[in-house]
Amino acid sequence: MLTKLAGGRLFDPANGRHGEVADLWLRDDRIAADPGPGAAPDATYDLTGKVVMAGAIDIHSHIAGGKVNLARLLMGEEHEHHRFAGSACGCGGGSGLATPSTHTTGARYIEMGFTAAFEPAMLGSNARHAHMEMGDIPYIDTGGYLVLGSDDFLLDLIATNAGQAAINDYVAWMLTATQSLAVKVVNPGGINAFKFNARSLDLDEPGPYYGVTPRSVLTVLARAVYELGLPHPLHVHGCNLGVPGNVATTLDTIQAASGLPMHMTHIQFHSYDTEGDRKFSSGAAALAEAVNRTPTLSVDIGQVMFGQTVTASADTMAQRRTAPLAHPRKWLAMDIECDAGCGVVPFRYRDNSYVNALQWAIGLELFLLLDDPWRVFLTTDHPNGAPFTFYPELIRLLMDRDYRLAKLAEIHPDAPAHTTLGSITREYTLAEIAVMTRAAPSRILGLADRGHLAPGASADVTVYTDRPDRRAMFERPDLVFKSGRLVVRDGTLVAMAQGCTHVVRPGFDDLIERRIARHFDERLGLSLKHFRIRDEEIRHGAGPLLHPCRRREVP
Amino acid sequence: MTFHPEILCPFCGLGCGDIGIDRDDSGIAPRPSGCPQADRLFRRPMAVATDARMAGTPVAMDRAIAEAARLLGAARAPLIAGLATDVEGVLAALTLAARIGATVDHERSDALFRNLAVLRRFGWSVTTLAELRNRCDLVLVVGPDPAAAFPRLWERWVAPAPAFVPGGGRSVVFLGGKPLPETVQCLAGQIETQGMETDPQPDLATLVTRLRTALAGRTASSDARMAELAARLRAARYAVVVWAAGLFNGPQPDLIVEALARLVRTVDGTTRCAGLPLSGADNLIGANQACTWRTGFPLRTGFDAGAPLHDPDRFDWRARLRDADVTLWISAFRPEVPEFGTSGSVIMLAPPETAIAPEPALFIPVGTPGIDHAGDVFRADSVVALHAGALIDRGLPSVADVIGRMLAALEQSADTREKAGC
Ligand code: SF4
């Protein structure tokens, strides 16, 4: 099947195209070179005046696994009110907004022109569940980031000075066994400390039992990820999430990386200062400055948008702290398998609340003060800051200063005084949006054939009408192709498609397996044989898509 | 004869992975595991009838599939229940349910809904089996001994010394229930019982209320033993409250669960404490997980003009059976089916050894996940999913295979109708 997308304006920053008019060819599931005169495409679309981009990629969205399913159960009222029938193509049915069901998740993403989304908090003990759910989400590519850093095995390796090589082997073994794409650390050591009844743990505070500090957990993991040569740097959810004054910890965390690459996630929740009467103010400027001058760092925002949502996190310590603010007033928490935990707390962000209004402003400040769109990613930390369906509105806020100022005038009157948002004139360009949502995510995750439009890339393509109202533009693309198949036309699903699951598999020294096996037998009551996820379990037998790792040494 | 060690058991939801199986030409047999369920259910003969039956008469599989599709396609109020199958089977059943507008429920979901009712209105703080095994210094068992439903619970998760308790000591207190003799043997010396001094069948709700009152420091001096238990809960580093709601008898069992969830929260305010609600044989938890991720709702969900609709009372399979005109009953793990009366027709997917009277309209033999084919099941703590492998090939299809073929037959008949212009 040969398809010609004729005469659109291509925004393909990975290949240096910023809106030039060109034809784009798709052959089967791949982008193809121009076959030259005489080629007879099976289908031709006249895209004169339209904006053409690769399919968008969400690097941090809680879409699958135990905590997501628990959140669905807890948010029963939301599901009652948002029920969807399947479309004629056999998909899109289900329910929910903040915690959409699997088919609904795939449908809402693809309708917005997203062709991949990654689950950023997959616990080893829950990985099989997460993979089953990801396999049931149609349309989009998926993958999971393995949560490490509060698992007893790792803390024991650190406490007993097992050495970096053993840690690297363990990390590589776990990534392989759980079919993961990257490594995430959540409140390093903090979830474990909580199990021993610590209710907070600062960067340089030794945790209970092991006496290991969050800083050492961070540094050994960042180093393991670097030395194993994983494409994606350590994905860091730092200490003290949501605590006023935590910007200081966040700045220290940047220092702790000491030059190793690191991705700091949902930094909006880690950018709070303590100025003003309410002892709560924006620390965005200081943080933005630090990120701007640290080229080894990348960040995503975790933008807050107003309305009802639910927070779902492995950070039981932070969730336990915010639980009294639950709306509606119910929440749940789990300690999990000498591995990590999970907490689910419903939340309603209100624009007339000082704190919520400031959170909203801090996120936007960060977006606008961070100058390199290759190192900033569009996220709401779905569903923690807001459901991912708010992205088009968020894009409009970034691209349209007048609109932003109008919204700023609507929030709690005291909030604007505590942020610099009103004075920022920057507006994102279409080219920058294409970087932030396509080219940069594929680069930071090491997905060589995603996020761009050069021949050989996966034929994931989104076509928009260029509208001044950017929200309307990004909400409803004209056409979306997934792996070369037209699946959305004028915002409506027209065909079914399946994505794939991306993984890495760095090698390891088999010696580590003996020590891990003992841990599994004695502590977890489960043998390695039953823990390990086989290729044939991924996507109903289709297996995962493997990305290479290149071992390196810390200079 | 070949020996297969470390086989995963899919039956009760504890996920034991250490079953030894002998296989020869006559079939498979387990080495004694200390578990009555595994010892019985892993024993399967090689020679079984693989034919389907229509009103008791053997028919070819194709014919049975076509007939099932015809019945289901024409049903006005179809029910898919039993739902005892691996996750693939459940997902296939959900696809079929959406296609024909059926409601779905698991045979054993009663126990689950006693817990879910609380989770959905209040939330909870809970833990998993390995946390129990390694961190817990005080186990509080509420109600009847869960070992009745989860035979190796104590042996595998409480008898081993906890890794993170200084000195390794752990106490097990039964509140309002009597440990089974095997439990007493397994936990020799660690067990105490409370609340049964005067009454062999005490009122659980009252006992839990007394304990909560004691925790709040409002105990009458006559309730000194409860005050002492409350003090021990507060002093424990990591107390785990274990219950199997399916075994509670008495009115409004969900109110006992809610009281326990609140009790856990009270203690967890100062020291660590978590609940461990156990439910789920025959992949009940997996069925609920898959239903939740696919539809957004737990079991007892149906499809109303294509969109999911949940009603825990009306869609309880026992209630729903009364007005279902066609019931697809799925029971892949064990050759028993509960008694059920329905005036509608029944299509049954079950192991070939299943004895059933009267004969259903249609009987389609299926394999057991973890025996005849590989399949995923969830553990009773709802976090760990396990992949159970295949042990023998008796020519029995999986539930997912059979339903997949029914769906294909339904599509085909829809195509024919379209082509004929009707
Ligand atoms: S306790 Fe449960 S999982 Fe373990 S062997 Fe018995 S039936 Fe199987």
Side-chain angles (χ1 to χ4, degrees), chain A residues 14 57 59 377 438-448 450-452:
Chain A
I57 299 170
I59 72 160
F377 300 91
R438 278 80 175 167
S442 71
R443 191 170 83 175
I444 195 108
L445 293 174
L447 312 176
R450 299 290 194 275
H452 67 90

Side-chain angles (χ1 to χ4, degrees), chain B residues 8-19 33-39 41-42 149-153 156 334:
Chain B
L8 190 91
C9 174
F11 297 113
C12 83
L14 282 188
C16 303
D18 58 354
I19 311 292
S33 65
C35 169
Q37 293 204 43
D39 289 355
L41 291 168
F42 269 113
F150 304 95
R152 297 175 67 197
L153 175 66
R156 302 212 336 119
R334 55 187 87 217

Side-chain angles (χ1 to χ4, degrees), chain A residues 80, chain B residues 105 113 120 299-300 310-317:
Chain A
E80 297 287 349
Chain B
D105 193 13
F113 274 92
R120 285 163 78 77
L299 294 167
R300 300 187 177 171
H310 170 66
D311 191 330
D313 298 321
R314 198 153 62 91
F315 295 163
D316 176 344
W317 68 267

Side-chain angles (χ1 to χ4, degrees), chain A residues 50-116:
Chain A
K50 306 278 185 197
V51 169
V52 182
M53 296 187 188
I57 299 170
D58 189 345
I59 72 160
H60 190 107
S61 177
H62 299 277
I63 49 174
K67 67 186 174 317
V68 179
N69 234 14
L70 277 169
R72 291 183 185 115
L73 287 175
L74 195 65
M75 298 295 280
E77 297 86 350
E78 170 187 295
H79 287 262
E80 297 287 349
H81 292 121
H82 301 281
R83 304 184 298 113
F84 311 106
S87 59
C89 66
C91 180
S95 63
L97 292 179
T99 54
S101 55
T102 46
H103 280 212
T104 306
T105 300
R108 294 297 99 83
Y109 262 118
I110 199 81
E111 285 162 0
M112 297 194 310
F114 277 72
T115 50

